[in-house]
Every structure is written in C-alpha cells, then in structure tokens.
Amino acid sequence: MMEQNTKPRVVVVGAGFGGLEAARRLGGADLDVVVIDRRNHHLFQPLLYQVATAALSPADIAAPIRKILRRFRGVRVLLGEVTGIDTVGRKITVDGSELSFDWLVLAVGATHSYFGRPEWERFAPGLKTVEDALEIRRRFLLAFERAEGAKDESERRAAMTFAVVGAGPTGVELAGAMAEIARTVLPGDFRIADPRAARVVLIEGEARVLSAMPEECSVAARRQLEELGVEVVCGSRVTHIDEFGVTAGDLRIEARTVLWAAGVQASPLCALLGRALDRAGRVMVRPDLSIDGDERVFVIGDAAHCIDVRTGAQVPGMAPGALQMGRFVARTIVDETRAAARGFPAPTRSAFVYRDKGALATVGRSRAVADVGGRRFSGFAAWILWALVHVTAIVRFRNRMFVLMGWIWSYLFFDRGARLITGSTKPR
Amino acid sequence: MMEQNTKPRVVVVGAGFGGLEAARRLGGADLDVVVIDRRNHHLFQPLLYQVATAALSPADIAAPIRKILRRFRGVRVLLGEVTGIDTVGRKITVDGSELSFDWLVLAVGATHSYFGRPEWERFAPGLKTVEDALEIRRRFLLAFERAEGAKDESERRAAMTFAVVGAGPTGVELAGAMAEIARTVLPGDFRIADPRAARVVLIEGEARVLSAMPEECSVAARRQLEELGVEVVCGSRVTHIDEFGVTAGDLRIEARTVLWAAGVQASPLCALLGRALDRAGRVMVRPDLSIDGDERVFVIGDAAHCIDVRTGAQVPGMAPGALQMGRFVARTIVDETRAAARGFPAPTRSAFVYRDKGALATVGRSRAVADVGGRRFSGFAAWILWALVHVTAIVRFRNRMFVLMGWIWSYLFFDRGARLITGSTKPR
C-alpha cells in the first residue's frame, strides 16, 4: 500500500488527544509516521455534549486530522479500520492490507460500557461520537415535539421526562444543559406542551455526583443542578431500561428519553495485543507505557491502565493524561531512534509521571465546579475558568472563534442555534 | 388531537419559503393557523450546496420552524407526515390523526426526478435536504481518502473524478465549489494523491449551462467554470449510471462520485388532491392559485404549475416566486375571512402576478453571473451582489452572522472548516 522507506516507521493508531499529540511530536523527527483512524476528524470530546444539546455544530468541535497534521511532511494520515495487530511479525492489518511498523502507539480510546447489558444501548444511547451527539440531539428535541402532539397528559409527561444514567462530568453536563434549555430556550416555541414542566432525572450508582472529584465539588454541583431543576438520585443502580423508561433500585421513572453516561469500556482493539487487560478492557502497561515483553509497542490514553509510580493511583482517563502520555512516548521513540541512528546505546527509560492539573466540570450557564491547585470553588468564577480552559484547548483557531461566538450568543440571547433534528423524525 | 376553536382554521402544509411566508402573513390575523412539516426546520436551500461542500454547517442555513414562528401566538406548528387530503370532507390525515380545515395551503415543494430511472439515485445522490448535503459531503471528502489509499494510478484517477449531472444553478455551484476546493484547500493535506489533479465534469442535456438564464450569462458561467478547471459537457444526455461512473451519449466517464442536480419532481402529496398535474407532478392551479373546483384550497411554490397571466410564462420554481405566492394566498384568505366575519361579500379575486427580480448564480470564489433589472454582468461584482442577496435573505440573524463569518474565513484563508465525514466511512 505504501512505498518503501528506510526511516524507522512509527504507526499511531487513533487520533484522539493522545495519538494526535504523539504524532505532532514525532512529526518533527526523522521518522516515517503513519496515523490511522476510522474517522477523518479529531473530536474535541469535552464539548461534545454541547453538540448534543444544540449549542454547537459538529464542525465547531471537530477538525480534519489531515488538516491538523498537514505541516508535518513526514506524517501520513490513513483513513481506515484496524482489524489485526501482529506484534511478533511487526505488522498491522488496515482494511485488509498489511502495514509493517518498527514502533507502534496504540491510542484507540474507549467507548461506553452497558455493564453486560448491550440491549440497553438501543433505549439509552451514549455520547462518544458526532453521530451519537446528533442522535441524542434528535431524541431530545423530538421529545418536545411528541409532547406537543401527545394525546393525553400522561403521555405528555412521559415524553417530557428525561433520565440521564451516570453523574460523571458528561452526565452532569447533559442533565444541566437539558434542564436549562427546557426552562429558558424552548417555552415560547410550544402552544400545548409547557417545556418548563420537563423533568430531568440524573441517576448515579455512587453516593454522590462527580465522584472522581473532591466531596466539596460534588455538593456544589448537586446544589447547582437542583437550582436548574434537575432531580438527582444517588446511590441507586439501574437494573432495567426499556422504551418506556428506566428502573433504578425500587424507583421506576417513566421517561421516553434515557441517555447513557455511565460505564467506560476500552476499544476492542486492545484485546488484539494479547496482553493482560483490566476489567474495563484497558491494556495493563508498564511504567514506561510499553506493553509486557515488547518495548516498542506502547498503549496510551483511555486504552491504557497506567499506574502513576509516584502516587500509586491510576491515571484518570481524561484529556490531560492522554496528552501527557502521547508526549512521553513520542520523546522515548525520538530519543531511542536518534541514539540508534548514531550508534549509541538506548538511553535508560524513565517512568511516566502524571501531572495532575486538577479538574473542572460545568453544570450550566454561569455554573461550574473547579478543583485546581488544591483550591475548590464553584459558580461564575469556576464557569469562566472552565470556558477559558476549553476554548484555549480547542485545536484549531477557526473552531475556537466559532465556539466562542456560539457561546456568547447562547449566553446573551438564551438561544440554541443548532436546534435541528436530522435523520428520522420518527421516535426510534 | 387539537381542541375546538371557533376561528376559521387554515392548514399550511410545508414550511419552505412559500409555506412559511404564508404562515407569517396569516399569523397576524384572527385565524387558527396550523403549520405542518415533516422536518422541525426551515431550510435555506439556496445555500445547501455550501453544506455539501463543507463551507457551512447545517445549523448555519437552517432554523427551527417553531422558533421562526414563535411570536405568532395564533400559529401552531406540528411535526408530522401528511398521508391523506380529503378536500370534500375538509380534513387531512397527519400521522394517522385527522385534522379538519376551512382553508388549505399546500406548499409541499419538490424533490429530484431521475427521469424514470430511480435506480440511479443510489449512485448519484441529489441535493434537497440536510441529509442529502451531508451524504454528498461524505462522498466528496471520502473520494480523496480513497485516492490516497488507492492501489494503482487508474483507481486513484477514478476516485478523483467527479461528475455532476445537470448544469442549473445547483449543478454549477456544486461543480465550481468542488473544483475550487480540490485546487486550493486540499493539496497540502495529502501525501500520495494530488487533489489538484482532480477532474470535475459537469454534464448538461441542454445546449448551455444555466439554460434558464440569458445566453450571455451562460457564456460567462461556462468561462468561469473552465477557469476553475471544470470540464463542461453540454447537449449530452445521461443514459447510464453505475457505481463506476456515468455514460452520456457516447462519452463514458469513470467517476466514483456522481452527483445529481438535474430533474425536478413535485412532492407526491400533490397527487392526493385528485386534480390535473403537469409532467413534473405539479398541480395545475388557477390564476388565483386555487385548485380546480375548490376556491379554499391553494397550491403554491414548487408544487404549483402556475402561468403568469401577464407574460403567459410559467412562474419559475425559485424562492422569490414561492415567497410571492405565499404572500398572495395569505392576503386572499385574510381578506375573505375578514369580509365573512363582518357579513360582507367576498372581494373579487385578482390573478397572481409574478414580479421577476432577475436571477443570480455563483460559480466560486469571486465568480458569479447576474441578470438583474435587464443588466447582465459577471465576476466579482456579481459575486458580491449574490453574497449580499443571500445573506440578507437568511431568516434568522444568528445564522446570518455565522454564515457571513464562515464566508469571510473561507475567503481569506482558503479553508473549509466543516470538512467532517459523518456516517459511514465505507464508500457506500
């Protein structure tokens, strides 16, 4: 498929935060870098819930991988699906063709886990891709249309009841945004249904929302969610989901729209390495992020189960960790190939150390919680910090400008410009 | 489905240019107005090709119908599919429920016609909906990905050959934009394929492009297309399309991507009226736009075959005609219901007169043709006029601002921000 090349070839699978960062760093060195992804675009996932809630368009938070990497002439981008990895023979299979590698960086990310209940997916879509976001947007907007055309009050109530399963950052953001839109954006649009009567229920198995953050943040986030009218149900595990609603413990909620923001499962590609996986399917990596018995194959980001040697804790599956891992393995590869080219022995490898910069989560307009540098705060200041961090982190400037404008517009005019139902207008 | 109401009820089916304009005008009067559409959004179709060519996002050129009509408290919007029209019993069927009416305005528009060859649709999608635009965008962008991964030169050439069938405004705009993107936006992104070598062939059955415009415009448009590298083939009818390409007369073009911008067919709902239709399935309306034998049922816009009594010519199926017809029937209904409420006889009806403001078509960056007020011109001036007219006509201000920004960005930086492939990344 590709011409011969005498430079060492590094194949990076996946162009999420980790893979893209590795590719950029590798791109400056004298290497033959091939980036493979199933999608033509890198997705800024932290803002994906804003596409689902009609504040932004897909193009605002996604950019073509080729465009991001175009200035690195040594980097090639291949749109394709990896179906096989042969670490012994040093080759991977992409859409039926084989591609050899000297080094491999697996940055294939994670998807939702339905805790062994894949049949729930149909009733409760999750939020990982642009298509997921448009599907959630479709269901959310269609719910009010169904309420407007409902034959009786109980049908109308069920149509306007939304359940979100899982109160991590995504669940909190989704629930908050939905409650807010129902109360501020939609009311004037309907004649029979009253969107202000919409019920948003956030269901969490753990004892508190945002359980990965300090307790103060959970308390503040819950208070802010309740201010927006979200009903928060903690310590309750979902036992059943069907097209009419969700059951959690002894609580039954008649909700025509159920969204999934709970479990995480690493990509099935992780299993192709034939190494030990954790319960979520992540590859157990060594301190230098290589896999057991193969120091030229690395796994980074959400696909890796990595223990920070300093703290003994697992590196959290968020963008900063993935970025740092991408940078770390790129440096290892660049240093060792350079040494080899000059006939020097490989430098001793160090262990990956995660630099925890804190965490932020937003709940709605002017509402967020922050845990940064040991300081915990919430409200408007946290929200401004959240907005600054996210708009700064968006990869491409065009998107950054459009995102900012979209936010300013929504903030000032309580409007959501992207309220389009695409795809079928039939409920399911 | 809806409560009783003593005001006369006007049902408007379709929220395109004509239906929406009628609804706005009716909304100010003392009437019970119900607007029914299969979609939750009004689409600014003249800019749809820009979504297909990744310059704009769907939300930039579409706005929720409810939002557009929210200030008219007497107007209700219903998302639903009309499946039956009973002009005698004065009721229509929407998603299985019946809805009575006193007046009916059918503004159901048109779709593509494959000239009796529906099997071509799979190989050559047309451009009428947001989903169509995203499908065309997907095929267009995927073509270069296929070229980059192609096994040999002939496969690469076929992957980068694009055929557009039909050289009306949409075909000209699509072909021009595709050639332009291939030459200005994409080159740096690929390592093996050279997008500048892409071939765009525009095939027209008539003797010239833009055959509805004066000949001078056709000549100018063809020259501008050729400057952009488009191959223009006129006077040649397509006889065969398959997954490998298109045959027109004795010309065979190996093109993996074929787009359809030719025939027009009115919505199948037109046939439900049981009145005479023209060859394209449009309802033959009387000079007052009512249907034969029923003066309270009107057909407007692309669904109507309307002869301008002054010129004897058919009113062209474009936005200005639809808007004028919408306004015209709304005035008729308002005047007659008002007279009836006061016990006066209905005023005599006049005939609809089309005010032709001219025509504009764009070919690419700084390139367009204009025929306005008897003056014909092309180039930068025509392009600026085209941009002004279109940005002024966009319904909602948010969109207008975003569209303008998107254009300015693309113009200055030769960039197309919305280059996302959504849906499957498999060719078909």
Side-chain angles (χ1 to χ4, degrees), chain B residues 90-118:
Chain B
R90 285 280 183 265
K91 52 181 189 266
I92 65 167
T93 311
V94 187
D95 286 333
S97 300
E98 288 192 337
L99 179 70
S100 67
F101 63 82
D102 300 297
W103 301 77
L104 179 67
V105 179
L106 211 61
V108 290
T111 183
H112 340 283
S113 153
Y114 286 86
F115 304 130
R117 300 295 292 267

PDB file of all heavy atoms in Angstrom, chain B residues 90-118:
ATOM      1  N   ARG B  90     -63.089  18.144   3.962  1.00  0.00           N
ATOM      2  CA  ARG B  90     -62.333  19.218   4.600  1.00  0.00           C
ATOM      3  C   ARG B  90     -61.464  18.727   5.754  1.00  0.00           C
ATOM      4  O   ARG B  90     -61.501  19.277   6.864  1.00  0.00           O
ATOM      5  CB  ARG B  90     -63.308  20.310   5.112  1.00  0.00           C
ATOM      6  CG  ARG B  90     -63.886  21.180   4.020  1.00  0.00           C
ATOM      7  CD  ARG B  90     -62.838  22.217   3.664  1.00  0.00           C
ATOM      8  NE  ARG B  90     -63.198  23.209   2.666  1.00  0.00           N
ATOM      9  CZ  ARG B  90     -62.907  23.094   1.359  1.00  0.00           C
ATOM     10  NH1 ARG B  90     -62.361  22.005   0.887  1.00  0.00           N
ATOM     11  NH2 ARG B  90     -63.164  24.085   0.538  1.00  0.00           N
ATOM     12  N   LYS B  91     -60.701  17.671   5.510  1.00  0.00           N
ATOM     13  CA  LYS B  91     -59.767  17.240   6.552  1.00  0.00           C
ATOM     14  C   LYS B  91     -58.527  16.589   5.933  1.00  0.00           C
ATOM     15  O   LYS B  91     -58.582  16.039   4.834  1.00  0.00           O
ATOM     16  CB  LYS B  91     -60.435  16.298   7.548  1.00  0.00           C
ATOM     17  CG  LYS B  91     -61.140  15.122   6.944  1.00  0.00           C
ATOM     18  CD  LYS B  91     -61.787  14.288   8.065  1.00  0.00           C
ATOM     19  CE  LYS B  91     -62.298  12.986   7.487  1.00  0.00           C
ATOM     20  NZ  LYS B  91     -63.714  13.048   7.086  1.00  0.00           N
ATOM     21  N   ILE B  92     -57.434  16.659   6.687  1.00  0.00           N
ATOM     22  CA  ILE B  92     -56.218  15.969   6.254  1.00  0.00           C
ATOM     23  C   ILE B  92     -55.812  14.966   7.325  1.00  0.00           C
ATOM     24  O   ILE B  92     -56.212  15.086   8.487  1.00  0.00           O
ATOM     25  CB  ILE B  92     -55.056  16.934   5.960  1.00  0.00           C
ATOM     26  CG1 ILE B  92     -54.623  17.648   7.237  1.00  0.00           C
ATOM     27  CG2 ILE B  92     -55.392  17.923   4.888  1.00  0.00           C
ATOM     28  CD1 ILE B  92     -53.306  18.362   7.062  1.00  0.00           C
ATOM     29  N   THR B  93     -55.041  13.978   6.911  1.00  0.00           N
ATOM     30  CA  THR B  93     -54.556  12.961   7.842  1.00  0.00           C
ATOM     31  C   THR B  93     -53.073  13.196   8.097  1.00  0.00           C
ATOM     32  O   THR B  93     -52.283  13.290   7.154  1.00  0.00           O
ATOM     33  CB  THR B  93     -54.767  11.554   7.247  1.00  0.00           C
ATOM     34  OG1 THR B  93     -56.112  11.459   6.774  1.00  0.00           O
ATOM     35  CG2 THR B  93     -54.516  10.476   8.293  1.00  0.00           C
ATOM     36  N   VAL B  94     -52.724  13.336   9.376  1.00  0.00           N
ATOM     37  CA  VAL B  94     -51.339  13.572   9.780  1.00  0.00           C
ATOM     38  C   VAL B  94     -50.932  12.472  10.746  1.00  0.00           C
ATOM     39  O   VAL B  94     -51.494  12.373  11.846  1.00  0.00           O
ATOM     40  CB  VAL B  94     -51.188  14.933  10.487  1.00  0.00           C
ATOM     41  CG1 VAL B  94     -49.708  15.218  10.747  1.00  0.00           C
ATOM     42  CG2 VAL B  94     -51.824  16.047   9.699  1.00  0.00           C
ATOM     43  N   ASP B  95     -49.983  11.654  10.361  1.00  0.00           N
ATOM     44  CA  ASP B  95     -49.523  10.550  11.222  1.00  0.00           C
ATOM     45  C   ASP B  95     -50.700   9.774  11.822  1.00  0.00           C
ATOM     46  O   ASP B  95     -50.725   9.490  13.029  1.00  0.00           O
ATOM     47  CB  ASP B  95     -48.637  11.087  12.356  1.00  0.00           C
ATOM     48  CG  ASP B  95     -47.259  11.495  11.842  1.00  0.00           C
ATOM     49  OD1 ASP B  95     -46.826  10.925  10.825  1.00  0.00           O
ATOM     50  OD2 ASP B  95     -46.644  12.377  12.449  1.00  0.00           O
ATOM     51  N   GLY B  96     -51.700   9.486  11.004  1.00  0.00           N
ATOM     52  CA  GLY B  96     -52.825   8.666  11.476  1.00  0.00           C
ATOM     53  C   GLY B  96     -53.949   9.434  12.140  1.00  0.00           C
ATOM     54  O   GLY B  96     -55.037   8.893  12.340  1.00  0.00           O
ATOM     55  N   SER B  97     -53.722  10.706  12.503  1.00  0.00           N
ATOM     56  CA  SER B  97     -54.799  11.502  13.109  1.00  0.00           C
ATOM     57  C   SER B  97     -55.401  12.425  12.062  1.00  0.00           C
ATOM     58  O   SER B  97     -54.710  12.873  11.152  1.00  0.00           O
ATOM     59  CB  SER B  97     -54.249  12.371  14.240  1.00  0.00           C
ATOM     60  OG  SER B  97     -53.672  11.570  15.228  1.00  0.00           O
ATOM     61  N   GLU B  98     -56.692  12.727  12.237  1.00  0.00           N
ATOM     62  CA  GLU B  98     -57.332  13.630  11.286  1.00  0.00           C
ATOM     63  C   GLU B  98     -57.370  15.049  11.827  1.00  0.00           C
ATOM     64  O   GLU B  98     -57.525  15.267  13.033  1.00  0.00           O
ATOM     65  CB  GLU B  98     -58.752  13.146  10.987  1.00  0.00           C
ATOM     66  CG  GLU B  98     -58.718  11.884  10.129  1.00  0.00           C
ATOM     67  CD  GLU B  98     -60.089  11.534   9.577  1.00  0.00           C
ATOM     68  OE1 GLU B  98     -61.097  11.972  10.173  1.00  0.00           O
ATOM     69  OE2 GLU B  98     -60.132  10.819   8.563  1.00  0.00           O
ATOM     70  N   LEU B  99     -57.251  15.987  10.941  1.00  0.00           N
ATOM     71  CA  LEU B  99     -57.274  17.393  11.312  1.00  0.00           C
ATOM     72  C   LEU B  99     -58.162  18.103  10.293  1.00  0.00           C
ATOM     73  O   LEU B  99     -57.930  18.003   9.088  1.00  0.00           O
ATOM     74  CB  LEU B  99     -55.840  17.947  11.259  1.00  0.00           C
ATOM     75  CG  LEU B  99     -55.630  19.403  11.595  1.00  0.00           C
ATOM     76  CD1 LEU B  99     -55.851  19.651  13.082  1.00  0.00           C
ATOM     77  CD2 LEU B  99     -54.215  19.830  11.203  1.00  0.00           C
ATOM     78  N   SER B 100     -59.194  18.797  10.799  1.00  0.00           N
ATOM     79  CA  SER B 100     -60.098  19.477   9.871  1.00  0.00           C
ATOM     80  C   SER B 100     -59.527  20.841   9.485  1.00  0.00           C
ATOM     81  O   SER B 100     -58.681  21.384  10.186  1.00  0.00           O
ATOM     82  CB  SER B 100     -61.468  19.649  10.520  1.00  0.00           C
ATOM     83  OG  SER B 100     -61.348  20.544  11.604  1.00  0.00           O
ATOM     84  N   PHE B 101     -59.985  21.355   8.360  1.00  0.00           N
ATOM     85  CA  PHE B 101     -59.538  22.689   7.943  1.00  0.00           C
ATOM     86  C   PHE B 101     -60.676  23.412   7.248  1.00  0.00           C
ATOM     87  O   PHE B 101     -61.602  22.778   6.731  1.00  0.00           O
ATOM     88  CB  PHE B 101     -58.323  22.605   7.024  1.00  0.00           C
ATOM     89  CG  PHE B 101     -58.560  21.887   5.715  1.00  0.00           C
ATOM     90  CD1 PHE B 101     -59.147  22.537   4.628  1.00  0.00           C
ATOM     91  CD2 PHE B 101     -58.191  20.560   5.561  1.00  0.00           C
ATOM     92  CE1 PHE B 101     -59.359  21.867   3.417  1.00  0.00           C
ATOM     93  CE2 PHE B 101     -58.405  19.890   4.358  1.00  0.00           C
ATOM     94  CZ  PHE B 101     -58.991  20.543   3.284  1.00  0.00           C
ATOM     95  N   ASP B 102     -60.595  24.738   7.282  1.00  0.00           N
ATOM     96  CA  ASP B 102     -61.503  25.547   6.470  1.00  0.00           C
ATOM     97  C   ASP B 102     -60.801  25.975   5.190  1.00  0.00           C
ATOM     98  O   ASP B 102     -61.418  26.107   4.142  1.00  0.00           O
ATOM     99  CB  ASP B 102     -61.960  26.769   7.270  1.00  0.00           C
ATOM    100  CG  ASP B 102     -62.703  26.346   8.539  1.00  0.00           C
ATOM    101  OD1 ASP B 102     -63.764  25.704   8.408  1.00  0.00           O
ATOM    102  OD2 ASP B 102     -62.198  26.608   9.649  1.00  0.00           O
ATOM    103  N   TRP B 103     -59.508  26.240   5.327  1.00  0.00           N
ATOM    104  CA  TRP B 103     -58.688  26.626   4.189  1.00  0.00           C
ATOM    105  C   TRP B 103     -57.432  25.758   4.194  1.00  0.00           C
ATOM    106  O   TRP B 103     -56.922  25.414   5.262  1.00  0.00           O
ATOM    107  CB  TRP B 103     -58.239  28.093   4.309  1.00  0.00           C
ATOM    108  CG  TRP B 103     -59.354  29.082   4.390  1.00  0.00           C
ATOM    109  CD1 TRP B 103     -60.124  29.361   5.480  1.00  0.00           C
ATOM    110  CD2 TRP B 103     -59.831  29.935   3.342  1.00  0.00           C
ATOM    111  NE1 TRP B 103     -61.041  30.338   5.190  1.00  0.00           N
ATOM    112  CE2 TRP B 103     -60.876  30.709   3.880  1.00  0.00           C
ATOM    113  CE3 TRP B 103     -59.459  30.130   2.005  1.00  0.00           C
ATOM    114  CZ2 TRP B 103     -61.561  31.661   3.112  1.00  0.00           C
ATOM    115  CZ3 TRP B 103     -60.131  31.082   1.260  1.00  0.00           C
ATOM    116  CH2 TRP B 103     -61.190  31.825   1.813  1.00  0.00           C
ATOM    117  N   LEU B 104     -56.947  25.466   3.012  1.00  0.00           N
ATOM    118  CA  LEU B 104     -55.737  24.651   2.932  1.00  0.00           C
ATOM    119  C   LEU B 104     -54.727  25.295   1.977  1.00  0.00           C
ATOM    120  O   LEU B 104     -55.085  25.702   0.876  1.00  0.00           O
ATOM    121  CB  LEU B 104     -56.085  23.237   2.439  1.00  0.00           C
ATOM    122  CG  LEU B 104     -54.921  22.244   2.276  1.00  0.00           C
ATOM    123  CD1 LEU B 104     -54.300  21.890   3.626  1.00  0.00           C
ATOM    124  CD2 LEU B 104     -55.403  20.965   1.584  1.00  0.00           C
ATOM    125  N   VAL B 105     -53.503  25.392   2.431  1.00  0.00           N
ATOM    126  CA  VAL B 105     -52.413  25.883   1.577  1.00  0.00           C
ATOM    127  C   VAL B 105     -51.377  24.767   1.458  1.00  0.00           C
ATOM    128  O   VAL B 105     -50.758  24.384   2.449  1.00  0.00           O
ATOM    129  CB  VAL B 105     -51.755  27.150   2.166  1.00  0.00           C
ATOM    130  CG1 VAL B 105     -50.610  27.616   1.263  1.00  0.00           C
ATOM    131  CG2 VAL B 105     -52.780  28.249   2.361  1.00  0.00           C
ATOM    132  N   LEU B 106     -51.232  24.264   0.263  1.00  0.00           N
ATOM    133  CA  LEU B 106     -50.290  23.169   0.038  1.00  0.00           C
ATOM    134  C   LEU B 106     -48.990  23.759  -0.513  1.00  0.00           C
ATOM    135  O   LEU B 106     -48.956  24.275  -1.628  1.00  0.00           O
ATOM    136  CB  LEU B 106     -50.901  22.183  -0.951  1.00  0.00           C
ATOM    137  CG  LEU B 106     -50.508  20.720  -0.804  1.00  0.00           C
ATOM    138  CD1 LEU B 106     -50.916  20.171   0.558  1.00  0.00           C
ATOM    139  CD2 LEU B 106     -51.131  19.897  -1.910  1.00  0.00           C
ATOM    140  N   ALA B 107     -47.944  23.667   0.299  1.00  0.00           N
ATOM    141  CA  ALA B 107     -46.646  24.248  -0.095  1.00  0.00           C
ATOM    142  C   ALA B 107     -45.589  23.188   0.111  1.00  0.00           C
ATOM    143  O   ALA B 107     -44.647  23.354   0.869  1.00  0.00           O
ATOM    144  CB  ALA B 107     -46.362  25.488   0.755  1.00  0.00           C
ATOM    145  N   VAL B 108     -45.774  22.070  -0.561  1.00  0.00           N
ATOM    146  CA  VAL B 108     -45.006  20.872  -0.245  1.00  0.00           C
ATOM    147  C   VAL B 108     -43.738  20.686  -1.083  1.00  0.00           C
ATOM    148  O   VAL B 108     -43.000  19.725  -0.877  1.00  0.00           O
ATOM    149  CB  VAL B 108     -45.898  19.612  -0.358  1.00  0.00           C
ATOM    150  CG1 VAL B 108     -46.919  19.611   0.768  1.00  0.00           C
ATOM    151  CG2 VAL B 108     -46.620  19.566  -1.704  1.00  0.00           C
ATOM    152  N   GLY B 109     -43.494  21.619  -2.006  1.00  0.00           N
ATOM    153  CA  GLY B 109     -42.210  21.617  -2.699  1.00  0.00           C
ATOM    154  C   GLY B 109     -41.978  20.469  -3.657  1.00  0.00           C
ATOM    155  O   GLY B 109     -42.906  19.765  -4.060  1.00  0.00           O
ATOM    156  N   ALA B 110     -40.721  20.311  -3.986  1.00  0.00           N
ATOM    157  CA  ALA B 110     -40.341  19.322  -4.998  1.00  0.00           C
ATOM    158  C   ALA B 110     -39.106  18.574  -4.552  1.00  0.00           C
ATOM    159  O   ALA B 110     -38.414  18.974  -3.629  1.00  0.00           O
ATOM    160  CB  ALA B 110     -40.073  20.017  -6.324  1.00  0.00           C
ATOM    161  N   THR B 111     -38.850  17.489  -5.224  1.00  0.00           N
ATOM    162  CA  THR B 111     -37.634  16.715  -4.964  1.00  0.00           C
ATOM    163  C   THR B 111     -36.985  16.400  -6.313  1.00  0.00           C
ATOM    164  O   THR B 111     -37.377  16.963  -7.335  1.00  0.00           O
ATOM    165  CB  THR B 111     -37.974  15.464  -4.129  1.00  0.00           C
ATOM    166  OG1 THR B 111     -36.770  14.775  -3.834  1.00  0.00           O
ATOM    167  CG2 THR B 111     -38.928  14.534  -4.851  1.00  0.00           C
ATOM    168  N   HIS B 112     -35.929  15.558  -6.326  1.00  0.00           N
ATOM    169  CA  HIS B 112     -35.288  15.244  -7.602  1.00  0.00           C
ATOM    170  C   HIS B 112     -36.133  14.304  -8.415  1.00  0.00           C
ATOM    171  O   HIS B 112     -36.870  13.500  -7.894  1.00  0.00           O
ATOM    172  CB  HIS B 112     -33.953  14.540  -7.431  1.00  0.00           C
ATOM    173  CG  HIS B 112     -33.363  14.728  -6.108  1.00  0.00           C
ATOM    174  ND1 HIS B 112     -32.751  15.900  -5.761  1.00  0.00           N
ATOM    175  CD2 HIS B 112     -33.308  13.934  -5.023  1.00  0.00           C
ATOM    176  CE1 HIS B 112     -32.340  15.795  -4.523  1.00  0.00           C
ATOM    177  NE2 HIS B 112     -32.658  14.628  -4.049  1.00  0.00           N
ATOM    178  N   SER B 113     -35.943  14.355  -9.707  1.00  0.00           N
ATOM    179  CA  SER B 113     -36.530  13.350 -10.575  1.00  0.00           C
ATOM    180  C   SER B 113     -35.390  12.693 -11.320  1.00  0.00           C
ATOM    181  O   SER B 113     -34.503  13.365 -11.847  1.00  0.00           O
ATOM    182  CB  SER B 113     -37.473  14.022 -11.565  1.00  0.00           C
ATOM    183  OG  SER B 113     -37.540  13.237 -12.729  1.00  0.00           O
ATOM    184  N   TYR B 114     -35.411  11.370 -11.359  1.00  0.00           N
ATOM    185  CA  TYR B 114     -34.371  10.646 -12.087  1.00  0.00           C
ATOM    186  C   TYR B 114     -34.891  10.197 -13.448  1.00  0.00           C
ATOM    187  O   TYR B 114     -34.438   9.213 -13.992  1.00  0.00           O
ATOM    188  CB  TYR B 114     -33.860   9.474 -11.240  1.00  0.00           C
ATOM    189  CG  TYR B 114     -32.980   9.944 -10.105  1.00  0.00           C
ATOM    190  CD1 TYR B 114     -33.541  10.333  -8.901  1.00  0.00           C
ATOM    191  CD2 TYR B 114     -31.615  10.043 -10.265  1.00  0.00           C
ATOM    192  CE1 TYR B 114     -32.736  10.794  -7.865  1.00  0.00           C
ATOM    193  CE2 TYR B 114     -30.799  10.496  -9.242  1.00  0.00           C
ATOM    194  CZ  TYR B 114     -31.370  10.884  -8.037  1.00  0.00           C
ATOM    195  OH  TYR B 114     -30.578  11.348  -7.028  1.00  0.00           O
ATOM    196  N   PHE B 115     -35.862  10.922 -13.970  1.00  0.00           N
ATOM    197  CA  PHE B 115     -36.403  10.656 -15.303  1.00  0.00           C
ATOM    198  C   PHE B 115     -36.788   9.191 -15.464  1.00  0.00           C
ATOM    199  O   PHE B 115     -36.390   8.523 -16.436  1.00  0.00           O
ATOM    200  CB  PHE B 115     -35.384  11.043 -16.383  1.00  0.00           C
ATOM    201  CG  PHE B 115     -34.933  12.474 -16.280  1.00  0.00           C
ATOM    202  CD1 PHE B 115     -33.581  12.802 -16.279  1.00  0.00           C
ATOM    203  CD2 PHE B 115     -35.858  13.509 -16.187  1.00  0.00           C
ATOM    204  CE1 PHE B 115     -33.171  14.124 -16.188  1.00  0.00           C
ATOM    205  CE2 PHE B 115     -35.439  14.835 -16.093  1.00  0.00           C
ATOM    206  CZ  PHE B 115     -34.100  15.131 -16.097  1.00  0.00           C
ATOM    207  N   GLY B 116     -37.498   8.667 -14.487  1.00  0.00           N
ATOM    208  CA  GLY B 116     -37.946   7.284 -14.586  1.00  0.00           C
ATOM    209  C   GLY B 116     -36.869   6.251 -14.321  1.00  0.00           C
ATOM    210  O   GLY B 116     -37.071   5.063 -14.568  1.00  0.00           O
ATOM    211  N   ARG B 117     -35.715   6.684 -13.806  1.00  0.00           N
ATOM    212  CA  ARG B 117     -34.639   5.735 -13.504  1.00  0.00           C
ATOM    213  C   ARG B 117     -34.295   5.816 -12.018  1.00  0.00           C
ATOM    214  O   ARG B 117     -33.187   6.211 -11.637  1.00  0.00           O
ATOM    215  CB  ARG B 117     -33.397   6.059 -14.343  1.00  0.00           C
ATOM    216  CG  ARG B 117     -33.615   6.011 -15.851  1.00  0.00           C
ATOM    217  CD  ARG B 117     -33.946   4.621 -16.363  1.00  0.00           C
ATOM    218  NE  ARG B 117     -32.826   3.727 -16.252  1.00  0.00           N
ATOM    219  CZ  ARG B 117     -31.939   3.515 -17.230  1.00  0.00           C
ATOM    220  NH1 ARG B 117     -32.078   4.117 -18.395  1.00  0.00           N
ATOM    221  NH2 ARG B 117     -30.946   2.695 -17.048  1.00  0.00           N
ATOM    222  N   PRO B 118     -35.239   5.436 -11.137  1.00  0.00           N
ATOM    223  CA  PRO B 118     -34.992   5.586  -9.693  1.00  0.00           C
ATOM    224  C   PRO B 118     -33.758   4.825  -9.214  1.00  0.00           C
ATOM    225  O   PRO B 118     -33.178   5.163  -8.184  1.00  0.00           O
ATOM    226  CB  PRO B 118     -36.266   5.023  -9.051  1.00  0.00           C
ATOM    227  CG  PRO B 118     -36.914   4.182 -10.110  1.00  0.00           C
ATOM    228  CD  PRO B 118     -36.532   4.805 -11.419  1.00  0.00           C
TER     229      PRO B 118
END
